[in-house]
């Protein structure tokens, strides 16, 4: 976004909480942290020479490699000189008369700007562990989403991991490999597909780079922002043997869409979805030797309606003698003690606890800032019954505020890099259009926002997504309104809808001209 804004000849200041760039890849330094989108597709596309020169080393990049890539991009485009690090934005106030935003930071700094772009992330506010007694614990404890910058050594220690989502499923095999004893405290089992990770050889990488532009175009108009051909047949169009063969083929290929890419009705037809569930559960029973543990690990929600995990040796980890799975629904956590975790019926002595308990997703980072729009209306209050946006890009009553991958856009249901780049381009084009048309103010009309929210909800209702207690619907945060937040019809359809809005002269947005009070009238 900063690079694009500079390209428009506008000035910008980026405010960042961390002491360096990287976002999710800056904070999530836990052992095993790795992307579940193939590295070549989890890359920027805006600069050809960057694409040509960067060498990804594995099919799925590790956190250190992605962080190095982001740091490299920051250096290459000389971004740091416009980024203020170690700064948390506390409030953002819209001043209608001045046509400007004022941001106040924890450092005491104030920034004033005509436009404000929230690039605050969908999974950046961690769910805090609020277990009673945690402050008494004499050992070390960590949240996967706030992992220390220094290495953590669990060698020969007794460790508990709480949570078995994507983060837990990545960290568990790595801790199991070094710890004396690992207890995994599971509340809800999850489906996980094998990554089938491997080194990227030169030939494969060169071929991917040579065809990158076409490959990215396919991603942009695909469902999930990845370049795989969409399924053409529904589940029951083929024989049971053919069905199993397709699932097996997906399993051997690996990755997040190993099963979901097999048939067209995976997310919409319960019976079809159950076929994939049965296949995944059979795999777990095949891998995990102890039948009781295997049953505990078998999920029973519709597969894909909670984020499918991708692992390297996760289920195999339960065949180790030093690993014990504990079902905390049957044996609830009473409290944390000085020496460990008190369950309803036993005490676990541990030296360390890892909380892999997730995030206040999608809206958390925006709700964390006191954002006040026209008439002093607080965004948190406006969204009390669930987030409302137009295209996930703007909010009625909050002029000149843009949200990158906001609720109501494909965001977390897609390859985030493809979706982020789309929003960055859309916002940049919009800023250019405003300037060329003599405007400096834009906001979503309440009617267009209402229509968009109805459209997003109608699409959601055609799928199985709303049925699961997932963070997609806010179910992991007590009191959060239950609304399926992302747009479910895929990147391609969403992109067409965004393009149509622009073609129709920013249909649904109110464009205007206000006073110019910030220098150059163009500061973002
Ligand atoms: P998550 O998916 O929300 O999983 C949190 C886990 O903690 C769940 O198993 C949850 O159980 C459990 N939990 C929460 N509170 C608990 C409590 N009080 N007691 C016991 N268990 C509790 O969080 P995450 O694993 O950090 O992943 C979040 C998202 O980040 C992922 O879905 C994915 O989009 C992204 N991510 C991606 C990657 C990757 O690219 N490979 C890696 C990590 C994360 P319940 O299900 O019962 O609530």
């Amino acid at each position: 976004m900063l690079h694009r804004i500079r390209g428009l000849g506008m000035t910008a200041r980026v405010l960042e909480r961390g002491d360096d760039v990287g976002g999710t890849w800056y904070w999530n330094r836990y052992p095993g942290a790795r992307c579940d989108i193939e590295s070549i597709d989890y890359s920027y596309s805006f600069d050809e020479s960057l694409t040509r020169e960067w060498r990804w080393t594995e099919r799925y990049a590790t956190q250190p490699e992605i962080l190095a890539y982001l740091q490299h991009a920051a250096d290459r485009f000389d971004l740091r000189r416009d980024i203020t690090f170690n700064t948390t934005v506390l409030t953002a106030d819209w001043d209608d008369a001045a046509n400007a935003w004022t941001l106040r930071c924890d450092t005491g700094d104030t920034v004033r700007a005509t436009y404000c772009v929230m690039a605050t992330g969908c999974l950046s506010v961690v769910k805090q562990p609020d277990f009673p007694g945690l402050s008494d614990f004499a050992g070390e404890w960590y949240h996967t989403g706030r992992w220390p910058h220094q290495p953590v050594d669990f060698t020969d220690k007794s460790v508990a991991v709480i949570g078995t989502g994507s983060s837990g499923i990545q960290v568990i095999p790595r801790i199991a490999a070094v710890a004396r004893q690992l207890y995994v405290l599971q509340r809800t089992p999850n489906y996980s597909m094998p990554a089938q990770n491997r080194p990227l050889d030169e030939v494969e990488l060169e071929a991917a780079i040579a065809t990158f532009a076409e490959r990215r175009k396919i991603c942009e108009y695909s469902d999930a922002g990845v370049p795989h051909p969409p399924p053409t047949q529904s589940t029951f169009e083929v024989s049971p043997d053919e069905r199993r063969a397709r699932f097996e083929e997906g399993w051997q290929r690996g990755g997040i869409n190993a099963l979901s890419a097999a048939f067209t009705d995976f997310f919409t037809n319960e019976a079809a979805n159950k076929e994939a569930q049965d296949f995944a559960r059979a795999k777990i029973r095949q891998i995990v030797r102890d039948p009781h543990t295997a049953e505990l690990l078998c999920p029973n929600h519709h597969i894909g309606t909670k984020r499918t995990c991708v692992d390297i040796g996760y289920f195999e980890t339960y065949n180790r003698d030093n690993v014990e799975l504990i079902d905390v629904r049957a044996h609830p956590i009473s409290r944390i003690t000085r020496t460990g975790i008190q369950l309803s019926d036993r005490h676990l002595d541990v030296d360390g606890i890892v909380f892999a308990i997730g995030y206040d997703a999608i809206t958390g980072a925006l709700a964390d800032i006191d954002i006040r729009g026209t008439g002093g209306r607080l965004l948190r209050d406006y969204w009390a019954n669930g987030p409302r946006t137009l295209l996930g890009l703007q909010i009625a009553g909050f002029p000149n505020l843009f949200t990158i991958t906001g609720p109501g856009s494909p965001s977390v249901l897609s390859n985030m890099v493809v979706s982020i780049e789309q929003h960055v381009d859309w916002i940049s084009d919009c800023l250019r259009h405003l300037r060329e048309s003599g405007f400096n103010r834009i906001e979503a009309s309440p009617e267009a926002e209402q229509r968009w929210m109805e459209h997003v909800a109608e699409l959601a209702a055609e799928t199985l997504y709303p049925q699961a207690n997932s963070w997609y619907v806010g179910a992991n945060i007590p009191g959060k309104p239950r609304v399926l937040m992302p747009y479910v019809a895929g990147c391609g359809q969403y992109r067409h809808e965004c393009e149509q809005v622009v073609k129709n002269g920013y249909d649904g947005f109110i464009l205007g001209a206000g006073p110019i009070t910030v220098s150059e009238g163009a500061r973002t």
Side-chain angles (χ1 to χ4, degrees):
M1 189 79 243
L2 172 58
H3 183 64
R4 278 274 189 265
I5 287 171
R6 284 185 187 163
L8 293 172
M10 298 169 81
T11 59
R13 170 113 322 253
V14 178
L15 303 166
E16 164 59 47
R17 176 178 283 155
D19 69 6
D20 199 2
V21 297
T24 207
W25 302 105
Y26 168 93
W27 297 104
N28 282 268
R29 292 163 188 254
Y30 59 85
R34 177 189 290 277
C35 190
D36 57 11
I37 298 287
E38 292 189 41
S39 46
I40 193 76
D41 301 312
Y42 199 78
S43 309
Y44 288 128
S45 71
F46 68 87
D47 187 88
E48 248 185 78
S49 61
L50 174 62
T51 304
R52 244 190 346 264
E53 288 167 27
W54 185 263
R55 317 307 291 176
W56 293 109
T57 64
E58 291 180 78
R59 181 184 187 193
Y60 295 102
T62 59
Q63 173 270 332
E65 192 167 26
I66 302 171
L67 183 59
Y69 174 72
L70 295 170
Q71 288 169 335
H72 170 76
D75 292 338
R76 191 177 183 110
F77 301 103
D78 188 21
L79 300 180
R80 287 194 174 84
R81 68 184 153 87
D82 286 325
I83 307 178
T84 307
F85 292 105
N86 299 306
T87 300
T88 296
V89 176
L90 303 175
T91 64
D93 289 275
W94 172 249
D95 180 342
D96 219 32
N99 200 55
W101 283 95
T102 303
L103 311 186
R104 289 192 181 76
C105 309
D106 65 344
T107 50
D109 290 340
T110 294
V111 175
R112 217 162 146 74
T114 308
Y115 303 103
C116 177
V117 181
M118 291 294 183
T120 41
C122 291
L123 292 157
S124 47
V125 172
V126 298
K127 190 174 148 176
Q128 294 297 339
D130 55 0
F131 297 87
L134 181 56
S135 57
D136 301 337
F137 185 54
E140 40 187 337
W141 67 265
Y142 308 97
H143 191 298
T144 48
R146 287 290 178 274
W147 203 261
H149 288 205
Q150 304 72 34
V152 173
D153 187 7
F154 286 129
T155 307
D156 293 332
K157 291 186 176 160
S158 173
V159 182
V161 174
I162 303 182
T164 51
S166 299
S167 304
I169 281 175
Q170 286 187 331
V171 80
I172 284 163
R174 297 290 294 272
I175 297 178
V178 297
R180 174 169 40 85
Q181 174 66 40
L182 173 63
Y183 300 106
V184 176
L185 279 64
Q186 171 188 273
R187 190 163 66 183
T188 313
N190 266 309
Y191 298 100
S192 185
M193 306 292 115
Q196 312 288 20
N197 187 44
R198 54 184 158 70
L200 273 181
D201 67 50
E202 271 302 302
V203 176
E204 186 180 1
L205 184 62
E206 277 307 326
I209 291 172
T211 54
F212 184 79
E214 301 97 271
R215 185 177 170 124
R216 180 51 65 98
K217 251 297 154 279
I218 295 169
C219 294
E220 288 173 354
Y221 288 92
S222 71
D223 273 357
V226 290
H228 309 299
T232 53
Q233 283 182 300
S234 63
T235 307
F236 299 108
E237 266 179 80
V238 303
S239 70
D241 281 351
E242 173 65 18
R243 202 150 51 235
R244 261 192 306 279
R246 298 262 185 101
F247 287 145
E248 185 61 38
E249 200 185 300
W251 190 269
Q252 294 311 328
R253 192 184 64 246
I256 189 162
N257 63 0
L259 303 185
S260 61
F263 297 108
T264 52
D265 49 358
F266 180 91
F267 287 107
T268 51
N269 177 334
E270 288 201 37
N273 189 279
K274 183 161 180 309
E275 293 291 309
Q277 293 172 40
D278 288 344
F279 180 89
R281 284 188 286 259
K283 283 289 182 192
I284 297 170
R285 292 181 184 119
Q286 219 172 56
I287 299 169
V288 179
R289 283 199 292 269
D290 174 53
H292 174 68
T293 305
E295 282 319 300
L296 283 181
L297 286 167
C298 282
N300 58 20
H301 55 273
H302 297 315
I303 183 167
T305 56
K306 291 181 88 159
R307 163 82 175 213
T308 301
C309 306
V310 176
D311 70 276
I312 299 179
Y314 174 65
F315 293 116
E316 291 81 350
T317 299
Y318 293 95
N319 293 332
R320 298 178 64 104
D321 292 339
N322 67 334
V323 177
E324 182 182 346
L325 180 67
I326 293 167
D327 171 9
V328 296
R329 285 192 199 275
H331 311 274
I333 299 169
S334 317
R335 60 181 295 109
I336 312 281
T337 66
R338 206 179 63 76
T339 54
I341 302 177
Q342 182 63 53
L343 303 177
S344 55
D345 52 357
R346 75 190 258 217
H347 187 268
L348 307 175
D349 289 329
V350 292
D351 306 304
I353 305 175
V354 173
F355 296 99
I357 57 175
Y359 297 84
D360 183 353
I362 305 177
T363 53
L366 294 165
D368 239 19
I369 304 172
D370 287 347
I371 304 174
R372 291 179 195 277
T374 312
R377 173 189 260 179
L378 195 59
L379 181 65
R380 224 177 2 256
D381 292 346
Y382 184 52
W383 283 2
N385 296 321
R388 305 175 55 76
T389 69
L390 176 54
L391 300 176
L393 277 160
Q394 274 219 300
I395 304 153
F398 295 81
N400 290 3
L401 183 80
F402 296 94
T403 48
I404 293 184
T405 63
S409 74
S411 65
V412 293
L413 297 184
S414 69
N415 173 353
M416 289 301 284
V417 177
V418 168
S419 289
I420 288 169
E421 282 199 331
Q422 187 211 349
H423 274 188
V424 166
D425 288 343
W426 196 96
I427 295 166
S428 318
D429 291 345
C430 173
L431 294 179
R432 183 191 298 108
H433 174 78
L434 291 174
R435 190 176 58 190
E436 289 173 355
S437 317
F439 295 127
N440 62 358
R441 184 185 158 118
I442 181 167
E443 73 177 292
S445 87
E447 298 75 23
E449 183 182 87
Q450 177 61 22
R451 279 196 302 276
W452 183 251
M453 293 325 295
E454 285 167 10
H455 177 54
V456 169
E458 275 163 21
L459 293 170
E462 289 168 13
T463 71
L464 302 172
Y465 280 111
Q467 297 183 27
N469 288 323
S470 67
W471 56 258
Y472 296 149
V473 299
N476 64 329
I477 302 293
K480 195 163 170 172
R482 191 182 174 105
V483 177
L484 183 70
M485 294 179 277
Y487 169 97
V488 296
C491 293
Q493 187 173 324
Y494 173 76
R495 190 174 283 262
H496 285 303
E497 300 203 48
C498 291
E499 287 167 350
Q500 203 53 47
V501 163
V502 174
K503 266 194 205 125
N504 294 344
Y506 287 89
D507 190 18
F509 291 88
I510 306 162
L511 279 57
I516 299 171
T517 56
V518 180
S519 59
E520 310 107 345
R523 193 153 177 165
T524 308

